[in-house]
Every structure is written in C-alpha cells, then in structure tokens.
Amino acid sequence: MFAIIPLLFLIPSISTLFMTARQDSVPYSFFTEQLREGNVQSITVQEETVTGILNREVTYQNQPIREFETYIPQSVSGEYLDRINQEGVEVNTLPTPDTSGLAILLNLLPFAIMIWIFVRMSRAMRQQGGGMQGMFSVGKSKAKKFQKSDSDTTFGDVAGADSAKVELQEVVDFLRNPERYQQMGAEIPHGVLMVGPPGSGKTLIARAVAGEADVPFYSISGSDFVEMFVGVGASRVRDLFKDARGSSPAIVFIDEIDSIGRQRGAGLGGGHDEREQTLNQLLSEMDGFDKTETVIVLAATNRPDVLDPALLRPGRFDRRITVPAPAVRDREAILKIHAARRPMEEDVDIDAIARSTAGFSGADLANLLNEASLMAARARHTKVSYEDILAARDKIVLGLERSGVVMSDEERRTVAYHEAGHALVAVHVPQAEPVHKVTIIPRERAMGLTEQLPEGDKYLYRRDYITDRLAVMMGGRAAEAEVIGEITSGAASDLKQSYSIARQMVLEWGMSERFGNVAFGSGEREVFLGSELGHQRQYSDSTAREIDDEVREILNEAYSRAVEIVQTKREGLDKLASALLEKEQVTREQVEELLGVH
C-alpha cells in the first residue's frame, strides 16, 4: 500500500500528456514555407495547434511528410485567416474543449487516495485496539497488563509441576517481601526460563504466577515484538521495560521467547536483521546498570537449544526451570482437576486412565476429557462414563473409526492374525507390558491395534526390556509369514519403529555386543541454525557398515524370537485370531483366557 503513494504524485502530470507534441510535428517555419509554395491542402486549428494535409508529399529531415502538425505562436488573427483563404486553403476550426473539470479531478485524485489510505489504516489500528493514534504508536509495547484481581488461576489449579511451583512461589514471595531476602544478602533474580515440551503447562504456570503475585504482571508473546518496520521490535522492548519499571516491582512474561532469542549470526547469511536488533535490546534491558529495580522476566520455550548463549547466562536468566511431561501420578492429579469440572460416573477409574495415557501432556489430558464430554453429550448421557473416556483416547491416538472401509475376508483374516501375533508375543515374553486390548476395527491411522498399558512410568530401559519390545513389534510380521504364507505392507509402522529403536541401541545406548560401551551419537546437527549445511556423522564409512550390520542382526534376532513363539504357540494364535474375526475386539481378560495365561 505504501508503495502506491510515490506514484500518486505522478497523476497531475497526466493532464499534460494530452497536450504533448506528437513525434511527427514540424516547425512553424516549415508550415509557412509550404503555405507560400501552395502545398497546403487543408488545416485544422485548435487553440495553438494546427494540423493539416499537404497537396504533395515532401521530405523533411529524411522523413516523408504528407500530414503534419505544428503550433501557432499566438491565436490566429482574422487577417491571417484571410491570407490563408486567399491561397485557396480550406480552413477548419474546432471549439476549444473544456478540460478544466478533468484537470481539477486529476489534481485532487492523489489527495483523495491518500485520505482513503489514512482512513483504512486508522480503522485497522482501531480494530487492533490502537485507536486513531495507533498508526503513530507502532513502537509501543503490545504487552497486556494484569493485576492480581485480573486472573483467577492460582498454583492450586496447576498439577504435576511441583518443583516449578516451588521455584516460582519463591519468586512471588521475593516480590512481596523483598526485605526478608535482602537482609540475607540475596539479590532478586533477573530472569526465570521455563523449559518443557509443548502442552506441559508453561503458560498455565505463568497465569498462576499472575494470580498469585500481588504485583503488576505484563504478558506478551515473542512474536509480538517484531514487525515489518525496522527498529519496531527494539522500540517495543524499551517501552515494555519502561512500563514495567514504572510499576516496579513487576513481572514480565515472554511466551515463546525462542522467536526473538535465537542464536545471533545463525543461518547462511548471518546478518544484522530486525530480530537480532530486538534481541540485542532485550539483552541490554535485562542486564541494566540499576541493580535496585525489581523487575523479573519470566520466559517460556520448548526449544532452549536454539537460544543465544548471551541470553542464558547468569545475570539475565539466573534460573532455568524444567517443566517435563507429567508422570503417572502427575497425570492422575491433572485428570482429577479437569474431572472435577464435569459430571462423572462413579465407575470412572482415574488411575487406570492415567496409566493408559503415557506420554500425554497436560494439554493432551485436558483435551481427552473434553472429547469424552463431547461424546457423552452426543450420546445423550447425563454423565461422562469410563467408556466415553476410552473412546476419546482411541480417537485421539488412532483417529476416527473408518466405518466406510470394506475389507475382503482374506484381508480381515490377515489383520486378525497380525494383531493376534503382537498379542501372543507380548504375553509370552517376560518384560513386555501387559496387553490391554486387541482390535481389528479400522481407524484413520491403523487397520488394527494391540494396546499395551505400562504398569508405571519408566525412566531407565534395560536391554532385555528393549529386546522384548522389539520381539513384540515383530510378532505381527511373524504371524503373517507363518499362517498366511506371505508378508504384507501392514507391518510398515512396526518395522519403522523397531529400526529406530535398534539404531538407538547401537548409536546412543551402547547396547551392541560388537561395539561395547561406545556411543556414536545420532550425528545430527540443527541444520536450521546454519551451523552445518547437512547432517554429519562422527564415524567412518566402514564403521557405518558395521553399524548397519549390527542393527540388522538385532532386528533379525527379534524376528527369530517372534517366529519361535508363533510356531510353538500356534493353537493360542488361532484361538485369538478367531475371536477377533468374530468380535472385532477383545479385552485383556479375554486374551488371557484364550491363551491360557493369568
């Protein structure tokens, strides 16, 4: 839009284009010469312009001319016209066109367009909350200011992040009672960085800080600093800290700080762009000369590895709080908080749901109960049941049921034996997680599923546990080869996951008999940071071949174990596959009964 403005000033010159000379115009002397020679057939006079036709073609400046145009220095007098008439020349005259209105419009058009642009920009600023003066305050901070009364979220609404709450409660207490800490020689921390995966509750904890703190709380996203105008980001940083210092003591919360805090000089071009200017200003504001200011910067990110080292050093972010994915007890506490807001059936087992949602974040758990509530409402239930929650979990993990899928009898039989093979191996290897459910109901992400529920969260994985898990993954392919006589593409996901785990065993966990206690690492670099143009490995080509051989050997061993179990327990495999073909889904109790294990 702004590129149009310089063009507007060219519009008045358009009116002059109507009066510019044509390229075939001739001097007035040429016209009079041809007039004396009697070579003018006719002319047309319009104000100072004379256009005419010659009796015969003549050459002027090596150009043949029959029609011409010239300009009379002054208005044509009556005597002059009489002389022309005496020469037998036909004289045609036209009235002067009235171009005054057009000229006025062409001169006013740029101002009209500029007024229209001004109105549009002012309206847009007003819609964004900036008012009519918004276009003149683009460098103002967009942070939202909260007081304690503005937020009803407290630490009591946050479950599963006890260590983070303890650290932040101390920060809030420091702001409320700074004298007690200053008597012990303690200095207020400049910044607290919260690190955790998406959905782990970092923003929720920040809202709880706003609800707990009896001080002004400024909240802004990192992307709100940088705009298309040069210097706007740095100006907004200065304005934000100016407001915060004016309300000191105060807390400034910057969500997704990695959007402006990425490492400087990264990328192919390096450079000195607007984002780096914003980061430089943030570094300067956080490490000011005045040590008496009580302004704490609270920031959140899920990518601490991309942050600039100058941002992470003590004096800027003195504390780093990790907000991990919730463990099983934390998930149970989170589920209880969200379940308390909904009518729940008495048979809902929160503990079982917490164990069946390994890897779920706090946001995932909130979404789980919300989906269950929607399903209960659609089914006209008065309360949310345990079945509603399980159905919601399956929908989130596997997708919707594909009711329109029509499989042939052979395909259904193949899927049934594939899933029965997973369940059979899982039951007969010692370290596998218990089978919770086996189904051959097609969904968006799978044609069938063998679900295993862990007894609890695991933080260390033994080698025998991993090899048993690989055997379970190979159980489906082993059952296909043994019973159907052919292998199918249904094991694609199993093979991909097992290959990834086997490579981690060799490269990172030192679980290879050939290489022993050597961890090669994944060899991958953060390409988007620009530190390298591609992935690099830290071993030779010959070692890479040996690693491939070792990975292949681990996978072949897992497949051999699965084949052995399928062959020795073939009767149980047939019973389980038949039950799946008949019922499409069997529970843990039914699996144990069919396979004769308890």
Side-chain angles (χ1 to χ4, degrees):
M1 180 179 293
F2 293 100
I4 301 176
I5 296 178
L7 301 179
L8 300 180
F9 295 97
L10 300 178
I11 294 179
S13 63
I14 296 177
S15 59
T16 63
L17 296 179
F18 295 103
M19 296 178 287
T20 56
R22 298 188 330 189
Q23 292 183 356
D24 58 348
S25 61
V26 297
Y28 178 70
S29 59
F30 176 86
F31 166 62
T32 57
E33 179 183 355
Q34 297 300 317
L35 187 63
R36 286 193 301 269
E37 296 177 0
N39 192 29
V40 179
Q41 176 181 337
S42 65
I43 65 171
T44 299
V45 179
Q46 182 176 1
E47 293 187 343
E48 299 88 358
T49 304
V50 177
T51 58
I53 301 176
L54 300 177
N55 290 319
R56 64 181 183 277
E57 187 178 277
V58 298
T59 301
Y60 178 76
Q61 293 184 349
N62 298 325
Q63 295 292 332
I65 294 178
R66 181 66 184 275
E67 297 181 0
F68 66 91
E69 177 183 83
T70 189
Y71 304 97
I72 299 176
Q74 296 177 351
S75 298
V76 181
S77 64
E79 296 179 358
Y80 196 80
L81 289 176
D82 291 340
R83 178 185 173 190
I84 295 175
N85 289 329
Q86 290 174 4
E87 297 292 337
V89 177
E90 179 184 354
V91 179
N92 299 310
T93 60
L94 296 175
T96 302
D98 184 10
T99 59
S100 58
L102 177 61
I104 293 174
L105 289 177
L106 289 175
N107 284 308
L108 292 180
L109 184 59
F111 300 99
I113 295 178
M114 292 181 66
I115 293 174
W116 176 78
I117 294 175
F118 179 83
V119 172
R120 287 291 301 273
M121 293 178 59
S122 300
R123 184 179 303 170
M125 292 294 182
R126 185 164 56 251
Q127 291 176 353
Q128 297 176 3
M132 290 296 293
Q133 72 277 14
M135 62 184 303
F136 301 107
S137 59
V138 68
K140 295 293 184 180
S141 170
K142 291 186 176 182
K144 297 180 181 179
K145 182 179 179 180
F146 298 91
Q147 298 291 345
K148 183 177 181 180
S149 58
D150 297 329
S151 177
D152 56 357
T153 303
T154 64
F155 285 138
D157 300 314
V158 180
D162 294 336
S163 59
K165 288 191 291 184
V166 170
E167 289 286 339
L168 292 174
Q169 183 63 61
E170 181 180 307
V171 171
V172 172
D173 188 53
F174 193 109
L175 292 173
R176 288 179 176 177
N177 307 288
E179 298 82 8
R180 185 171 63 202
Y181 292 87
Q182 291 172 355
Q183 289 176 357
M184 302 300 297
E187 293 184 1
I188 185 171
H190 290 75
V192 177
L193 180 65
M194 293 190 297
V195 177
S200 58
K202 300 183 295 296
T203 304
L204 177 64
I205 294 174
R207 288 202 301 266
V209 172
E212 293 283 347
D214 193 15
V215 296
F217 185 92
Y218 295 84
S219 176
I220 190 172
S221 174
S223 59
D224 288 334
F225 286 106
V226 181
E227 294 283 357
M228 62 177 292
F229 303 106
V230 177
V232 170
S235 176
R236 288 178 177 175
V237 171
R238 288 191 295 269
D239 188 67
L240 171 62
F241 279 85
K242 178 181 178 182
D243 291 344
R245 292 189 182 102
S247 304
S248 179
I251 296 177
V252 174
F253 173 61
I254 304 176
D255 198 9
E256 303 296 343
I257 193 174
D258 51 277
S259 61
I260 61 169
R262 288 176 178 255
Q263 182 177 344
R264 290 169 292 182
L268 296 179
H272 196 58
D273 57 13
E274 172 65 9
R275 182 188 56 79
E276 292 189 7
Q277 291 281 1
T278 306
L279 174 58
N280 292 336
Q281 187 63 44
L282 178 62
L283 296 175
S284 176
E285 296 290 343
M286 290 188 65
D287 194 21
F289 291 103
D290 191 353
K291 301 299 183 181
T292 62
E293 297 170 346
T294 52
V295 176
I296 296 179
V297 179
L298 184 63
T301 181
N302 51 29
R303 293 302 310 271
D305 53 314
V306 305
L307 296 180
D308 193 272
L311 190 63
L312 300 176
R313 72 162 176 82
R316 292 195 174 107
F317 282 107
D318 303 275
R319 296 188 180 183
R320 178 166 169 169
I321 300 176
T322 301
V323 186
V328 59
R329 298 297 84 168
D330 298 327
R331 293 196 297 272
E332 183 178 358
I334 294 172
L335 287 168
K336 287 181 178 178
I337 289 178
H338 292 290
R341 305 169 186 171
R342 297 171 171 85
M344 309 292 289
E345 294 283 1
E346 295 181 358
D347 65 338
V348 174
D349 189 349
I350 298 296
D351 178 70
I353 298 172
R355 288 188 295 106
S356 66
T357 51
F360 275 48
S361 65
D364 293 330
L365 296 173
N367 183 49
L368 170 65
L369 291 188
N370 183 63
E371 286 288 343
S373 299
L374 294 174
M375 288 184 173
R378 285 195 296 266
R380 308 294 184 183
H381 297 167
T382 58
K383 295 183 178 180
V384 179
S385 65
Y386 186 56
E387 288 72 20
D388 293 328
I389 299 177
L390 294 180
R393 186 201 58 193
D394 290 343
K395 176 184 176 182
I396 293 173
V397 175
L398 301 175
L400 294 172
E401 292 185 7
R402 299 166 64 183
S403 57
V405 175
V406 179
M407 292 190 296
S408 64
D409 293 339
E410 182 180 355
E411 288 178 328
R412 290 186 75 250
R413 183 169 178 265
T414 302
V415 174
Y417 270 100
H418 183 101
E419 299 304 330
H422 285 309
L424 181 72
V425 177
V427 168
H428 289 93
V429 293
Q431 298 297 327
E433 306 289 357
V435 175
H436 176 70
K437 178 178 65 176
V438 185
T439 178
I440 60 170
I441 298 176
R443 291 183 176 270
E444 291 180 359
R445 303 175 190 173
M447 301 302 293
L449 170 70
T450 300
E451 183 179 20
Q452 299 172 260
L453 291 187
E455 298 293 341
D457 292 325
K458 289 184 179 297
Y459 303 100
L460 296 176
Y461 299 97
R462 291 172 26 173
R463 190 179 189 279
D464 56 352
Y465 170 82
I466 298 174
T467 54
D468 283 356
R469 184 178 177 185
L470 292 176
V472 174
M473 291 180 178
M474 294 294 182
R477 169 61 64 90
E480 289 180 9
E482 180 67 20
V483 179
I484 307 301
E486 285 289 343
I487 58 176
T488 70
S489 60
S493 178
D494 300 327
L495 296 176
K496 182 178 180 180
Q497 293 182 38
S498 58
Y499 176 77
S500 176
I501 293 174
R503 285 194 66 86
Q504 284 182 294
M505 291 177 66
V506 176
L507 291 175
E508 300 180 23
W509 299 336
M511 293 184 178
S512 167
E513 295 181 359
R514 179 179 302 184
F515 295 105
N517 303 320
V518 177
F520 296 99
S522 63
E524 296 181 355
R525 299 293 184 99
E526 298 293 344
V527 180
F528 66 91
L529 280 179
S531 58
E532 299 291 344
L533 294 179
H535 299 311
Q536 286 193 347
R537 62 189 186 193
Q538 302 172 356
Y539 42 85
S540 65
D541 291 340
S542 60
T543 303
R545 284 193 293 270
E546 292 184 26
I547 290 174
D548 292 338
D549 293 339
E550 186 71 5
V551 170
R552 187 179 301 109
E553 184 175 339
I554 291 174
L555 296 177
N556 289 338
E557 181 182 352
Y559 180 75
S560 299
R561 291 183 63 197
V563 169
E564 181 181 358
I565 294 174
V566 167
Q567 290 175 345
T568 57
K569 305 295 182 180
R570 174 64 184 273
E571 182 180 355
L573 178 68
D574 293 334
K575 289 181 180 180
L576 184 54
S578 299
L580 286 171
L581 290 172
E582 178 183 355
K583 302 178 181 179
E584 291 191 330
Q585 182 170 300
V586 294
T587 62
R588 175 179 180 175
E589 293 76 14
Q590 293 170 328
V591 170
E592 293 177 350
E593 181 180 355
L594 290 169
L595 299 181
V597 295
H598 297 284

